[in-house]
Amino acid sequence: MSIERPTPYVEEWVGRLERCEPNALHTTLVDTQEIPRLFHPCVDEDKASPSAVSGDGCTCRRTWVDSEFGLPVVGEHFRTVGGSSDRWTYTTYAPLDLRPDDAVESVIVDRGGLFWARTTAGVLSVLPMLESSGYGAGPTAGAGGASAFAGYLQQLLDTSGHDAAARGRASERHDPRILAWVRSDAARRAELTMTDLELLLQPI
């Protein structure tokens, strides 16, 4: 998955990443021809780096590990000559589950279609997800993504947030009221606690 927009949640997540040397897991996050860039320093560290462009531009890669879950992270740096554009894009894997002694306290739909979980221990995590089952929210969400997200919310509701493991599409049963919320404008950017989720199913 790719993380681009510098939202407060992204900044919180990036703030806990630990810089590390590239390893075999990092190489799986980039195209084969890009692997050498993992070992090139940023222009901020070496003006003569192979990733430097005309002195102050840059197209390097940096590698981190998400210390909470052990997941590899590759950051792609793009800075134009002169610095009029200077941004980082992060690539990582969504976890398949959270830690066994933790539970989901809230689910966050962030800008740019990012989905996060806040655990009862206060840890922010990319929402567990299978590679084949992307999530969607809002009126323009595709049927598959909306159904996958609604099914995941139903799973959390049924287990009070304790079963956070990503499931296949066969488990995507959900109450129609949850799917209606997922397909609403309100779901495009929201932080939904377990209590909020329960309220979605209360009679009006």
Side-chain angles (χ1 to χ4, degrees):
M1 64 175 297
S2 180
I3 299 174
E4 298 182 27
R5 298 193 179 190
T7 71
Y9 299 108
V10 171
E11 291 174 357
E12 178 181 348
W13 175 75
V14 169
R16 75 152 183 259
L17 300 181
E18 296 180 359
R19 186 85 183 271
C20 66
E21 291 297 316
N23 60 41
L25 288 177
H26 292 106
T27 66
T28 67
L29 291 169
V30 299
D31 293 334
T32 303
Q33 66 270 20
E34 295 295 320
I35 290 175
R37 288 181 182 270
L38 296 175
F39 299 89
H40 296 164
C42 178
V43 69
D44 293 334
E45 301 165 331
D46 183 356
K47 299 292 185 184
S49 169
S51 293
V53 180
S54 298
D56 60 354
C58 194
T59 58
C60 73
R61 306 288 189 274
R62 281 185 180 173
T63 51
W64 292 269
V65 63
D66 181 343
S67 56
E68 291 289 346
F69 298 97
L71 294 170
V73 179
V74 172
E76 179 179 352
H77 187 204
F78 176 77
R79 180 193 295 157
T80 56
V81 176
S84 60
S85 179
D86 192 349
R87 66 179 185 272
W88 285 90
T89 300
Y90 302 91
T91 304
T92 189
Y93 293 112
L96 297 178
D97 200 352
L98 302 179
R99 294 173 298 192
D101 58 345
D102 211 346
V104 174
E105 183 173 86
S106 62
V107 174
I108 299 154
V109 184
D110 201 1
R111 286 181 291 167
L114 295 175
F115 293 82
W116 306 93
R118 175 83 65 191
T119 74
T120 52
V123 176
L124 184 71
S125 168
V126 174
L127 199 66
M129 178 175 56
L130 296 179
E131 186 176 357
S132 59
S133 302
Y135 300 133
T140 61
S147 181
F149 187 40
Y152 188 80
L153 293 178
Q154 183 73 60
Q155 174 183 317
L156 294 178
L157 181 61
D158 291 346
T159 63
S160 299
H162 286 88
D163 183 0
R167 306 291 185 202
R169 294 199 181 278
S171 67
E172 288 172 14
R173 60 174 188 80
H174 45 71
D175 189 288
R177 289 168 289 183
I178 293 179
L179 181 60
W181 181 83
V182 165
R183 309 258 357 211
S184 72
D185 277 321
R188 295 177 67 182
R189 284 181 65 188
E191 182 163 356
L192 194 70
T193 66
M194 294 306 299
T195 300
D196 295 331
L197 188 54
E198 292 170 356
L199 288 174
L200 289 178
L201 302 186
Q202 295 298 313
I204 298 176

mmCIF file of all heavy atoms in Angstrom, residues 68-114:
data_model
loop_
_atom_site.group_PDB
_atom_site.id
_atom_site.type_symbol
_atom_site.label_atom_id
_atom_site.label_comp_id
_atom_site.label_asym_id
_atom_site.label_seq_id
_atom_site.Cartn_x
_atom_site.Cartn_y
_atom_site.Cartn_z
ATOM 1 N N GLU A 68 6.323 -1.272 15.854
ATOM 2 C CA GLU A 68 5.201 -1.911 16.554
ATOM 3 C C GLU A 68 4.828 -3.263 15.949
ATOM 4 O O GLU A 68 4.357 -4.150 16.645
ATOM 5 C CB GLU A 68 3.973 -1.000 16.528
ATOM 6 C CG GLU A 68 4.116 0.258 17.370
ATOM 7 C CD GLU A 68 4.097 -0.010 18.875
ATOM 8 O OE1 GLU A 68 3.705 -1.119 19.267
ATOM 9 O OE2 GLU A 68 4.489 0.889 19.626
ATOM 10 N N PHE A 69 5.032 -3.396 14.635
ATOM 11 C CA PHE A 69 4.577 -4.611 13.957
ATOM 12 C C PHE A 69 5.668 -5.304 13.150
ATOM 13 O O PHE A 69 5.426 -6.348 12.560
ATOM 14 C CB PHE A 69 3.382 -4.288 13.053
ATOM 15 C CG PHE A 69 2.197 -3.772 13.813
ATOM 16 C CD1 PHE A 69 1.963 -2.416 13.919
ATOM 17 C CD2 PHE A 69 1.336 -4.639 14.456
ATOM 18 C CE1 PHE A 69 0.880 -1.927 14.649
ATOM 19 C CE2 PHE A 69 0.254 -4.174 15.180
ATOM 20 C CZ PHE A 69 0.028 -2.817 15.277
ATOM 21 N N GLY A 70 6.862 -4.723 13.094
ATOM 22 C CA GLY A 70 7.958 -5.349 12.369
ATOM 23 C C GLY A 70 7.827 -5.291 10.864
ATOM 24 O O GLY A 70 8.500 -6.041 10.149
ATOM 25 N N LEU A 71 6.976 -4.402 10.354
ATOM 26 C CA LEU A 71 6.746 -4.330 8.914
ATOM 27 C C LEU A 71 7.769 -3.419 8.232
ATOM 28 O O LEU A 71 8.124 -2.362 8.767
ATOM 29 C CB LEU A 71 5.338 -3.801 8.642
ATOM 30 C CG LEU A 71 4.197 -4.723 9.088
ATOM 31 C CD1 LEU A 71 2.868 -3.987 8.995
ATOM 32 C CD2 LEU A 71 4.166 -5.994 8.248
ATOM 33 N N PRO A 72 8.238 -3.801 7.038
ATOM 34 C CA PRO A 72 9.184 -2.952 6.310
ATOM 35 C C PRO A 72 8.468 -1.748 5.707
ATOM 36 O O PRO A 72 7.295 -1.829 5.332
ATOM 37 C CB PRO A 72 9.703 -3.876 5.205
ATOM 38 C CG PRO A 72 8.542 -4.781 4.925
ATOM 39 C CD PRO A 72 7.879 -5.015 6.265
ATOM 40 N N VAL A 73 9.184 -0.639 5.616
ATOM 41 C CA VAL A 73 8.653 0.582 5.003
ATOM 42 C C VAL A 73 9.726 1.155 4.100
ATOM 43 O O VAL A 73 10.896 1.268 4.494
ATOM 44 C CB VAL A 73 8.267 1.637 6.064
ATOM 45 C CG1 VAL A 73 7.733 2.905 5.389
ATOM 46 C CG2 VAL A 73 7.240 1.077 7.047
ATOM 47 N N VAL A 74 9.351 1.507 2.871
ATOM 48 C CA VAL A 74 10.258 2.195 1.952
ATOM 49 C C VAL A 74 9.681 3.571 1.664
ATOM 50 O O VAL A 74 8.507 3.698 1.309
ATOM 51 C CB VAL A 74 10.437 1.414 0.630
ATOM 52 C CG1 VAL A 74 11.236 2.251 -0.381
ATOM 53 C CG2 VAL A 74 11.149 0.092 0.887
ATOM 54 N N GLY A 75 10.503 4.596 1.840
ATOM 55 C CA GLY A 75 10.101 5.957 1.527
ATOM 56 C C GLY A 75 10.753 6.399 0.233
ATOM 57 O O GLY A 75 11.967 6.212 0.046
ATOM 58 N N GLU A 76 9.964 6.948 -0.681
ATOM 59 C CA GLU A 76 10.487 7.485 -1.940
ATOM 60 C C GLU A 76 10.505 9.003 -1.850
ATOM 61 O O GLU A 76 9.463 9.634 -1.667
ATOM 62 C CB GLU A 76 9.620 7.041 -3.110
ATOM 63 C CG GLU A 76 10.106 7.582 -4.453
ATOM 64 C CD GLU A 76 9.244 7.123 -5.614
ATOM 65 O OE1 GLU A 76 8.361 6.274 -5.400
ATOM 66 O OE2 GLU A 76 9.464 7.622 -6.728
ATOM 67 N N HIS A 77 11.687 9.577 -1.963
ATOM 68 C CA HIS A 77 11.867 11.023 -1.861
ATOM 69 C C HIS A 77 11.902 11.626 -3.258
ATOM 70 O O HIS A 77 12.648 11.166 -4.117
ATOM 71 C CB HIS A 77 13.182 11.315 -1.131
ATOM 72 C CG HIS A 77 13.402 12.756 -0.819
ATOM 73 N ND1 HIS A 77 14.666 13.282 -0.618
ATOM 74 C CD2 HIS A 77 12.544 13.794 -0.669
ATOM 75 C CE1 HIS A 77 14.573 14.562 -0.346
ATOM 76 N NE2 HIS A 77 13.288 14.898 -0.377
ATOM 77 N N PHE A 78 11.095 12.643 -3.472
ATOM 78 C CA PHE A 78 11.135 13.357 -4.744
ATOM 79 C C PHE A 78 11.250 14.849 -4.455
ATOM 80 O O PHE A 78 10.344 15.454 -3.899
ATOM 81 C CB PHE A 78 9.878 13.103 -5.578
ATOM 82 C CG PHE A 78 9.849 13.898 -6.860
ATOM 83 C CD1 PHE A 78 10.607 13.509 -7.955
ATOM 84 C CD2 PHE A 78 9.092 15.050 -6.962
ATOM 85 C CE1 PHE A 78 10.598 14.244 -9.128
ATOM 86 C CE2 PHE A 78 9.073 15.800 -8.129
ATOM 87 C CZ PHE A 78 9.831 15.392 -9.213
ATOM 88 N N ARG A 79 12.390 15.408 -4.809
ATOM 89 C CA ARG A 79 12.599 16.852 -4.657
ATOM 90 C C ARG A 79 13.072 17.409 -5.984
ATOM 91 O O ARG A 79 14.036 16.919 -6.576
ATOM 92 C CB ARG A 79 13.640 17.162 -3.592
ATOM 93 C CG ARG A 79 13.863 18.683 -3.435
ATOM 94 C CD ARG A 79 15.094 18.995 -2.617
ATOM 95 N NE ARG A 79 14.931 18.544 -1.252
ATOM 96 C CZ ARG A 79 15.960 18.280 -0.443
ATOM 97 N NH1 ARG A 79 17.200 18.411 -0.880
ATOM 98 N NH2 ARG A 79 15.743 17.870 0.782
ATOM 99 N N THR A 80 12.361 18.411 -6.461
ATOM 100 C CA THR A 80 12.775 19.053 -7.705
ATOM 101 C C THR A 80 14.001 19.921 -7.456
ATOM 102 O O THR A 80 14.281 20.334 -6.327
ATOM 103 C CB THR A 80 11.646 19.923 -8.273
ATOM 104 O OG1 THR A 80 11.249 20.885 -7.282
ATOM 105 C CG2 THR A 80 10.442 19.086 -8.658
ATOM 106 N N VAL A 81 14.738 20.181 -8.518
ATOM 107 C CA VAL A 81 15.873 21.093 -8.426
ATOM 108 C C VAL A 81 15.340 22.460 -8.000
ATOM 109 O O VAL A 81 14.390 22.980 -8.572
ATOM 110 C CB VAL A 81 16.605 21.196 -9.780
ATOM 111 C CG1 VAL A 81 17.731 22.219 -9.697
ATOM 112 C CG2 VAL A 81 17.135 19.831 -10.210
ATOM 113 N N GLY A 82 15.905 23.007 -6.964
ATOM 114 C CA GLY A 82 15.425 24.276 -6.430
ATOM 115 C C GLY A 82 14.446 24.098 -5.278
ATOM 116 O O GLY A 82 14.167 25.036 -4.543
ATOM 117 N N GLY A 83 13.926 22.885 -5.133
ATOM 118 C CA GLY A 83 13.091 22.576 -3.974
ATOM 119 C C GLY A 83 11.654 23.059 -4.020
ATOM 120 O O GLY A 83 10.989 23.097 -2.984
ATOM 121 N N SER A 84 11.135 23.422 -5.206
ATOM 122 C CA SER A 84 9.745 23.875 -5.268
ATOM 123 C C SER A 84 8.771 22.756 -4.934
ATOM 124 O O SER A 84 7.647 22.996 -4.488
ATOM 125 C CB SER A 84 9.431 24.443 -6.657
ATOM 126 O OG SER A 84 9.615 23.451 -7.656
ATOM 127 N N SER A 85 9.188 21.512 -5.141
ATOM 128 C CA SER A 85 8.405 20.352 -4.723
ATOM 129 C C SER A 85 9.327 19.431 -3.946
ATOM 130 O O SER A 85 10.428 19.115 -4.390
ATOM 131 C CB SER A 85 7.831 19.619 -5.944
ATOM 132 O OG SER A 85 7.090 18.483 -5.545
ATOM 133 N N ASP A 86 8.889 19.034 -2.753
ATOM 134 C CA ASP A 86 9.717 18.190 -1.889
ATOM 135 C C ASP A 86 8.774 17.290 -1.093
ATOM 136 O O ASP A 86 8.117 17.734 -0.160
ATOM 137 C CB ASP A 86 10.552 19.051 -0.946
ATOM 138 C CG ASP A 86 11.628 18.247 -0.228
ATOM 139 O OD1 ASP A 86 11.600 17.010 -0.287
ATOM 140 O OD2 ASP A 86 12.497 18.882 0.419
ATOM 141 N N ARG A 87 8.663 16.032 -1.495
ATOM 142 C CA ARG A 87 7.683 15.170 -0.833
ATOM 143 C C ARG A 87 8.216 13.746 -0.683
ATOM 144 O O ARG A 87 9.119 13.318 -1.386
ATOM 145 C CB ARG A 87 6.371 15.153 -1.618
ATOM 146 C CG ARG A 87 6.460 14.506 -2.992
ATOM 147 C CD ARG A 87 5.119 14.495 -3.709
ATOM 148 N NE ARG A 87 5.163 13.785 -4.972
ATOM 149 C CZ ARG A 87 5.484 14.331 -6.131
ATOM 150 N NH1 ARG A 87 5.764 15.631 -6.181
ATOM 151 N NH2 ARG A 87 5.515 13.608 -7.232
ATOM 152 N N TRP A 88 7.600 13.050 0.258
ATOM 153 C CA TRP A 88 7.903 11.645 0.511
ATOM 154 C C TRP A 88 6.646 10.821 0.297
ATOM 155 O O TRP A 88 5.544 11.223 0.692
ATOM 156 C CB TRP A 88 8.381 11.438 1.949
ATOM 157 C CG TRP A 88 9.780 11.896 2.200
ATOM 158 C CD1 TRP A 88 10.184 13.133 2.603
ATOM 159 C CD2 TRP A 88 10.965 11.119 2.061
ATOM 160 N NE1 TRP A 88 11.538 13.181 2.723
ATOM 161 C CE2 TRP A 88 12.051 11.950 2.403
ATOM 162 C CE3 TRP A 88 11.217 9.799 1.686
ATOM 163 C CZ2 TRP A 88 13.366 11.500 2.381
ATOM 164 C CZ3 TRP A 88 12.529 9.353 1.663
ATOM 165 C CH2 TRP A 88 13.588 10.198 2.001
ATOM 166 N N THR A 89 6.795 9.663 -0.325
ATOM 167 C CA THR A 89 5.722 8.684 -0.463
ATOM 168 C C THR A 89 6.208 7.394 0.187
ATOM 169 O O THR A 89 7.334 6.954 -0.066
ATOM 170 C CB THR A 89 5.388 8.425 -1.950
ATOM 171 O OG1 THR A 89 4.976 9.648 -2.553
ATOM 172 C CG2 THR A 89 4.267 7.402 -2.075
ATOM 173 N N TYR A 90 5.375 6.802 1.034
ATOM 174 C CA TYR A 90 5.772 5.613 1.785
ATOM 175 C C TYR A 90 5.018 4.383 1.278
ATOM 176 O O TYR A 90 3.823 4.444 1.009
ATOM 177 C CB TYR A 90 5.487 5.808 3.276
ATOM 178 C CG TYR A 90 6.189 7.010 3.847
ATOM 179 C CD1 TYR A 90 5.562 8.260 3.862
ATOM 180 C CD2 TYR A 90 7.478 6.917 4.347
ATOM 181 C CE1 TYR A 90 6.203 9.372 4.363
ATOM 182 C CE2 TYR A 90 8.131 8.030 4.847
ATOM 183 C CZ TYR A 90 7.485 9.265 4.853
ATOM 184 O OH TYR A 90 8.126 10.364 5.336
ATOM 185 N N THR A 91 5.741 3.286 1.161
ATOM 186 C CA THR A 91 5.144 2.021 0.749
ATOM 187 C C THR A 91 5.398 0.994 1.838
ATOM 188 O O THR A 91 6.515 0.877 2.356
ATOM 189 C CB THR A 91 5.754 1.526 -0.580
ATOM 190 O OG1 THR A 91 5.597 2.535 -1.571
ATOM 191 C CG2 THR A 91 5.059 0.258 -1.047
ATOM 192 N N THR A 92 4.348 0.267 2.199
ATOM 193 C CA THR A 92 4.484 -0.760 3.226
ATOM 194 C C THR A 92 3.415 -1.816 3.001
ATOM 195 O O THR A 92 2.653 -1.752 2.028
ATOM 196 C CB THR A 92 4.361 -0.160 4.640
ATOM 197 O OG1 THR A 92 4.697 -1.153 5.620
ATOM 198 C CG2 THR A 92 2.962 0.376 4.907
ATOM 199 N N TYR A 93 3.362 -2.778 3.890
ATOM 200 C CA TYR A 93 2.323 -3.799 3.856
ATOM 201 C C TYR A 93 1.315 -3.527 4.966
ATOM 202 O O TYR A 93 1.686 -3.085 6.057
ATOM 203 C CB TYR A 93 2.911 -5.196 4.062
ATOM 204 C CG TYR A 93 3.791 -5.663 2.930
ATOM 205 C CD1 TYR A 93 5.161 -5.820 3.092
ATOM 206 C CD2 TYR A 93 3.243 -5.961 1.685
ATOM 207 C CE1 TYR A 93 5.976 -6.253 2.053
ATOM 208 C CE2 TYR A 93 4.046 -6.396 0.634
ATOM 209 C CZ TYR A 93 5.400 -6.538 0.834
ATOM 210 O OH TYR A 93 6.199 -6.954 -0.217
ATOM 211 N N ALA A 94 0.045 -3.802 4.690
ATOM 212 C CA ALA A 94 -0.947 -3.794 5.767
ATOM 213 C C ALA A 94 -0.753 -5.058 6.587
ATOM 214 O O ALA A 94 -0.498 -6.128 6.033
ATOM 215 C CB ALA A 94 -2.361 -3.741 5.187
ATOM 216 N N PRO A 95 -0.867 -4.967 7.913
ATOM 217 C CA PRO A 95 -0.754 -6.191 8.712
ATOM 218 C C PRO A 95 -1.956 -7.099 8.479
ATOM 219 O O PRO A 95 -3.024 -6.646 8.065
ATOM 220 C CB PRO A 95 -0.732 -5.660 10.155
ATOM 221 C CG PRO A 95 -1.477 -4.362 10.084
ATOM 222 C CD PRO A 95 -1.152 -3.780 8.736
ATOM 223 N N LEU A 96 -1.789 -8.369 8.742
ATOM 224 C CA LEU A 96 -2.902 -9.313 8.644
ATOM 225 C C LEU A 96 -3.702 -9.363 9.937
ATOM 226 O O LEU A 96 -4.835 -9.823 9.966
ATOM 227 C CB LEU A 96 -2.380 -10.710 8.297
ATOM 228 C CG LEU A 96 -1.689 -10.835 6.941
ATOM 229 C CD1 LEU A 96 -1.166 -12.255 6.745
ATOM 230 C CD2 LEU A 96 -2.645 -10.462 5.818
ATOM 231 N N ASP A 97 -3.096 -8.863 11.029
ATOM 232 C CA ASP A 97 -3.764 -8.864 12.329
ATOM 233 C C ASP A 97 -3.023 -7.890 13.237
ATOM 234 O O ASP A 97 -1.917 -7.419 12.896
ATOM 235 C CB ASP A 97 -3.741 -10.277 12.932
ATOM 236 C CG ASP A 97 -4.784 -10.500 14.017
ATOM 237 O OD1 ASP A 97 -5.445 -9.512 14.431
ATOM 238 O OD2 ASP A 97 -4.947 -11.653 14.451
ATOM 239 N N LEU A 98 -3.624 -7.579 14.375
ATOM 240 C CA LEU A 98 -2.953 -6.795 15.392
ATOM 241 C C LEU A 98 -2.320 -7.744 16.403
ATOM 242 O O LEU A 98 -2.415 -8.960 16.271
ATOM 243 C CB LEU A 98 -3.957 -5.858 16.078
ATOM 244 C CG LEU A 98 -4.682 -4.885 15.141
ATOM 245 C CD1 LEU A 98 -5.671 -4.029 15.924
ATOM 246 C CD2 LEU A 98 -3.691 -4.000 14.389
ATOM 247 N N ARG A 99 -1.667 -7.200 17.414
ATOM 248 C CA ARG A 99 -1.051 -8.059 18.419
ATOM 249 C C ARG A 99 -2.126 -8.815 19.188
ATOM 250 O O ARG A 99 -3.214 -8.284 19.443
ATOM 251 C CB ARG A 99 -0.201 -7.204 19.353
ATOM 252 C CG ARG A 99 0.989 -6.585 18.642
ATOM 253 C CD ARG A 99 1.739 -5.618 19.506
ATOM 254 N NE ARG A 99 0.898 -4.483 19.893
ATOM 255 C CZ ARG A 99 1.367 -3.382 20.450
ATOM 256 N NH1 ARG A 99 2.656 -3.262 20.686
ATOM 257 N NH2 ARG A 99 0.559 -2.395 20.766
ATOM 258 N N PRO A 100 -1.858 -10.059 19.570
ATOM 259 C CA PRO A 100 -2.899 -10.907 20.168
ATOM 260 C C PRO A 100 -3.453 -10.386 21.487
ATOM 261 O O PRO A 100 -4.559 -10.740 21.878
ATOM 262 C CB PRO A 100 -2.199 -12.257 20.350
ATOM 263 C CG PRO A 100 -0.733 -11.956 20.297
ATOM 264 C CD PRO A 100 -0.590 -10.777 19.395
ATOM 265 N N ASP A 101 -2.706 -9.557 22.187
ATOM 266 C CA ASP A 101 -3.178 -9.047 23.479
ATOM 267 C C ASP A 101 -3.823 -7.678 23.363
ATOM 268 O O ASP A 101 -4.050 -7.002 24.367
ATOM 269 C CB ASP A 101 -2.015 -8.992 24.483
ATOM 270 C CG ASP A 101 -0.863 -8.125 23.979
ATOM 271 O OD1 ASP A 101 -0.831 -7.815 22.781
ATOM 272 O OD2 ASP A 101 0.006 -7.762 24.800
ATOM 273 N N ASP A 102 -4.138 -7.236 22.145
ATOM 274 C CA ASP A 102 -4.706 -5.908 21.939
ATOM 275 C C ASP A 102 -6.027 -6.034 21.184
ATOM 276 O O ASP A 102 -6.357 -7.086 20.645
ATOM 277 C CB ASP A 102 -3.727 -5.035 21.151
ATOM 278 C CG ASP A 102 -3.838 -3.557 21.524
ATOM 279 O OD1 ASP A 102 -4.835 -3.193 22.180
ATOM 280 O OD2 ASP A 102 -2.943 -2.786 21.164
ATOM 281 N N ALA A 103 -6.785 -4.951 21.172
ATOM 282 C CA ALA A 103 -8.072 -4.928 20.477
ATOM 283 C C ALA A 103 -8.247 -3.575 19.817
ATOM 284 O O ALA A 103 -7.573 -2.596 20.177
ATOM 285 C CB ALA A 103 -9.211 -5.195 21.462
ATOM 286 N N VAL A 104 -9.156 -3.491 18.864
ATOM 287 C CA VAL A 104 -9.429 -2.233 18.171
ATOM 288 C C VAL A 104 -10.342 -1.372 19.029
ATOM 289 O O VAL A 104 -11.385 -1.830 19.510
ATOM 290 C CB VAL A 104 -10.087 -2.500 16.800
ATOM 291 C CG1 VAL A 104 -10.498 -1.184 16.150
ATOM 292 C CG2 VAL A 104 -9.128 -3.255 15.892
ATOM 293 N N GLU A 105 -9.946 -0.132 19.226
ATOM 294 C CA GLU A 105 -10.776 0.830 19.951
ATOM 295 C C GLU A 105 -11.545 1.720 18.989
ATOM 296 O O GLU A 105 -12.684 2.088 19.234
ATOM 297 C CB GLU A 105 -9.916 1.685 20.872
ATOM 298 C CG GLU A 105 -10.701 2.663 21.717
ATOM 299 C CD GLU A 105 -9.819 3.349 22.732
ATOM 300 O OE1 GLU A 105 -9.201 4.373 22.385
ATOM 301 O OE2 GLU A 105 -9.741 2.849 23.878
ATOM 302 N N SER A 106 -10.909 2.078 17.861
ATOM 303 C CA SER A 106 -11.587 2.888 16.850
ATOM 304 C C SER A 106 -10.992 2.609 15.473
ATOM 305 O O SER A 106 -9.852 2.154 15.356
ATOM 306 C CB SER A 106 -11.472 4.386 17.176
ATOM 307 O OG SER A 106 -10.120 4.807 17.178
ATOM 308 N N VAL A 107 -11.809 2.861 14.459
ATOM 309 C CA VAL A 107 -11.399 2.721 13.065
ATOM 310 C C VAL A 107 -11.450 4.104 12.433
ATOM 311 O O VAL A 107 -12.406 4.857 12.639
ATOM 312 C CB VAL A 107 -12.326 1.743 12.314
ATOM 313 C CG1 VAL A 107 -11.990 1.712 10.828
ATOM 314 C CG2 VAL A 107 -12.223 0.342 12.908
ATOM 315 N N ILE A 108 -10.415 4.436 11.674
ATOM 316 C CA ILE A 108 -10.284 5.781 11.104
ATOM 317 C C ILE A 108 -10.240 5.697 9.591
ATOM 318 O O ILE A 108 -9.458 4.920 9.027
ATOM 319 C CB ILE A 108 -8.995 6.456 11.627
ATOM 320 C CG1 ILE A 108 -9.039 6.590 13.149
ATOM 321 C CG2 ILE A 108 -8.783 7.811 10.956
ATOM 322 C CD1 ILE A 108 -7.685 6.635 13.811
ATOM 323 N N VAL A 109 -11.086 6.480 8.938
ATOM 324 C CA VAL A 109 -11.018 6.657 7.490
ATOM 325 C C VAL A 109 -10.354 8.002 7.264
ATOM 326 O O VAL A 109 -10.905 9.052 7.594
ATOM 327 C CB VAL A 109 -12.410 6.617 6.831
ATOM 328 C CG1 VAL A 109 -12.267 6.716 5.319
ATOM 329 C CG2 VAL A 109 -13.156 5.338 7.211
ATOM 330 N N ASP A 110 -9.159 7.981 6.731
ATOM 331 C CA ASP A 110 -8.334 9.176 6.567
ATOM 332 C C ASP A 110 -8.415 9.673 5.125
ATOM 333 O O ASP A 110 -8.924 8.991 4.238
ATOM 334 C CB ASP A 110 -6.888 8.811 6.928
ATOM 335 C CG ASP A 110 -6.026 10.006 7.281
ATOM 336 O OD1 ASP A 110 -6.529 11.145 7.274
ATOM 337 O OD2 ASP A 110 -4.831 9.782 7.564
ATOM 338 N N ARG A 111 -7.883 10.848 4.893
ATOM 339 C CA ARG A 111 -7.835 11.384 3.532
ATOM 340 C C ARG A 111 -7.016 10.466 2.626
ATOM 341 O O ARG A 111 -6.095 9.797 3.075
ATOM 342 C CB ARG A 111 -7.194 12.780 3.539
ATOM 343 C CG ARG A 111 -8.096 13.863 4.093
ATOM 344 C CD ARG A 111 -7.398 15.203 4.044
ATOM 345 N NE ARG A 111 -6.284 15.259 4.991
ATOM 346 C CZ ARG A 111 -5.343 16.203 4.986
ATOM 347 N NH1 ARG A 111 -5.358 17.148 4.089
ATOM 348 N NH2 ARG A 111 -4.374 16.183 5.887
ATOM 349 N N GLY A 112 -7.388 10.457 1.359
ATOM 350 C CA GLY A 112 -6.648 9.653 0.400
ATOM 351 C C GLY A 112 -6.986 8.179 0.454
ATOM 352 O O GLY A 112 -6.238 7.351 -0.069
ATOM 353 N N GLY A 113 -8.100 7.831 1.104
ATOM 354 C CA GLY A 113 -8.502 6.430 1.144
ATOM 355 C C GLY A 113 -7.655 5.562 2.055
ATOM 356 O O GLY A 113 -7.533 4.363 1.832
ATOM 357 N N LEU A 114 -7.076 6.151 3.108
ATOM 358 C CA LEU A 114 -6.292 5.383 4.065
ATOM 359 C C LEU A 114 -7.185 4.923 5.206
ATOM 360 O O LEU A 114 -8.041 5.679 5.681
ATOM 361 C CB LEU A 114 -5.139 6.218 4.621
ATOM 362 C CG LEU A 114 -4.059 6.632 3.625
ATOM 363 C CD1 LEU A 114 -3.058 7.560 4.298
ATOM 364 C CD2 LEU A 114 -3.343 5.404 3.073
#
